Amino acid sequence: MDWWFYITIIIGLSLLYYGHENKKKYELKRKTMELEHELKIKEMELEQKKLDLEIKKVENGISKQNLDNGFEKTL
């Protein structure tokens, strides 16, 4: 056999190997970006829930103050 045949086989196998490695890196990077995006969405949802809870606390505080003021007036 000729040396060109062996060189062609070696180059072909190395290209397949490096192509496979690059594909794994790309998939890992894509998965990482997806997880970061999901994390940001979850953080935003958590922040929204905190704001809703704070609004409810303020509303309950105002209602409680109104009730307290009403009781003071009757006394």
Side-chain angles (χ1 to χ4, degrees):
M1 295 237 173
D2 198 11
W3 284 103
W4 291 108
F5 175 74
Y6 292 116
I7 292 173
T8 305
I9 296 296
I10 291 171
I11 290 173
L13 290 175
S14 64
L15 287 174
L16 287 173
Y17 173 75
Y18 288 117
H20 178 69
E21 289 294 316
N22 284 336
K23 182 180 177 185
K24 287 193 320 188
K25 287 179 186 177
Y26 173 75
E27 288 176 355
L28 180 63
K29 186 176 180 180
R30 183 179 56 84
K31 186 67 173 174
T32 303
M33 289 175 65
E34 287 176 0
L35 291 174
E36 288 174 351
H37 180 68
E38 289 177 11
L39 179 64
K40 287 180 182 178
I41 290 173
K42 295 290 183 181
E43 288 174 347
M44 289 172 52
E45 290 174 354
L46 181 62
E47 188 66 30
Q48 183 63 38
K49 287 180 182 180
K50 285 180 181 178
L51 290 173
D52 290 342
L53 181 62
E54 189 66 30
I55 290 170
K56 286 181 182 179
K57 284 181 180 179
V58 168
E59 288 175 352
N60 287 340
I62 291 172
S63 300
K64 194 173 186 180
Q65 285 178 350
N66 288 340
L67 290 175
D68 290 342
N69 289 339
F71 289 130
E72 289 175 3
K73 289 179 183 176
T74 57
L75 292 175

